[in-house]
Amino acid sequence: SRKRRNSGRLTWTSIWSGIGEVFDKSKENMPKALSRKEPKKGSTLTIGDLSAVVEKDLGRGSYGVVLLLSADAAQQDDEVTDDVVAWKVQTPSGCLALEFTILKKLERRIRPHVRGKIPFPLPKAFVEFSDGGLLAMTAGSRTGLNLIDLSNVYKLSGEGSIPELLVMHYTERMLNHIETLHWHGKILHCDV
């Protein structure tokens, strides 16, 4: 059975605290605020009545960007449960719909007690525009720090490389994620 696509009005709550809804805006262009080149740390993204502050650019690729966003204080309401959310914005939308579907499957297959130990992003919303798409999901952390940031901290502090014990810790975490993805999620990650 096919899921019904929501062609209704995008609201703050539907994107920010969504429960995995799909919005069909394929007759509309992606808002300029989501342009791949524009969002900078501290800037405010506004889409209709939606408004969020860019906390960090988590990564960029050939087709898009992943941003860590925080709720604009004026936009928050009782239904907003997360203070930070990750948005993957891509032009064209390409495989974003597939990524959304995979995240929905993982949410269903990986039990909450397992997800509590090994967090995976949970899908909040997928919006398809005529020239791109937006995938909103829970953020992996409130800071958006990653292993490259950790490496840079050690280099800039003059300590050199990351200590072996810390490397072992993060290697174990990554392997646990992959094992959970394969064993509990029943999804084979081929890009490892």
Side-chain angles (χ1 to χ4, degrees):
S1 69
R2 286 190 69 146
K3 290 199 176 204
R4 202 175 111 243
R5 300 180 112 205
N6 187 340
S7 58
R9 190 169 154 263
L10 288 174
T11 65
W12 177 251
T13 304
S14 65
I15 296 289
W16 199 267
S17 297
I19 53 170
E21 289 188 79
V22 175
F23 292 89
D24 184 358
K25 298 294 179 186
S26 57
K27 292 186 181 3
E28 302 173 24
N29 286 335
M30 189 177 338
K32 287 190 185 211
L34 293 178
S35 168
R36 188 179 155 327
K37 295 175 177 126
E38 281 186 33
K40 301 276 188 242
K41 182 177 178 176
S43 65
T44 300
L45 292 180
T46 303
I47 308 165
D49 67 347
L50 308 178
S51 181
V53 177
V54 177
E55 294 296 329
K56 184 170 179 163
D57 184 329
L58 296 174
R60 289 180 177 269
S62 300
Y63 298 104
V65 62
V66 180
L67 303 168
L68 181 70
L69 302 173
S70 65
D72 183 354
Q75 293 281 326
Q76 289 187 19
D77 58 32
D78 293 338
E79 295 182 55
V80 174
T81 56
D82 297 320
D83 56 350
V84 292
V85 173
W87 282 9
K88 183 172 185 178
V89 182
Q90 192 169 304
T91 304
S93 61
C95 61
L96 276 182
L98 177 61
E99 288 181 44
F100 177 80
T101 302
I102 289 170
L103 288 175
K104 289 297 287 176
K105 285 180 182 179
L106 286 174
E107 182 180 25
R108 229 179 22 254
R109 293 175 182 172
I110 300 174
R111 303 224 186 280
H113 72 279
V114 174
R115 276 198 317 260
K117 294 177 195 164
I118 302 177
F120 283 90
L122 299 175
K124 293 191 164 283
F126 170 66
V127 185
E128 183 174 10
F129 295 101
S130 63
D131 57 346
L134 168 113
L135 173 59
M137 64 195 109
T138 56
S141 75
R142 289 184 178 357
T143 63
L145 293 176
N146 58 40
L147 292 178
I148 293 171
D149 296 328
L150 182 64
S151 175
N152 289 336
V153 165
Y154 276 92
K155 283 181 185 173
L156 294 174
S157 70
E159 293 185 42
S161 301
I162 301 172
E164 187 176 346
L165 194 57
L166 206 49
V167 171
M168 288 170 49
H169 167 75
Y170 283 107
T171 302
E172 179 189 24
R173 285 197 60 162
M174 286 185 270
L175 291 172
N176 282 336
H177 269 82
I178 293 168
E179 180 182 43
T180 302
L181 187 67
H182 293 181
W183 186 257
H184 296 283
K186 307 293 186 229
I187 291 181
L188 180 62
H189 195 304
C190 296
D191 292 338
V192 178

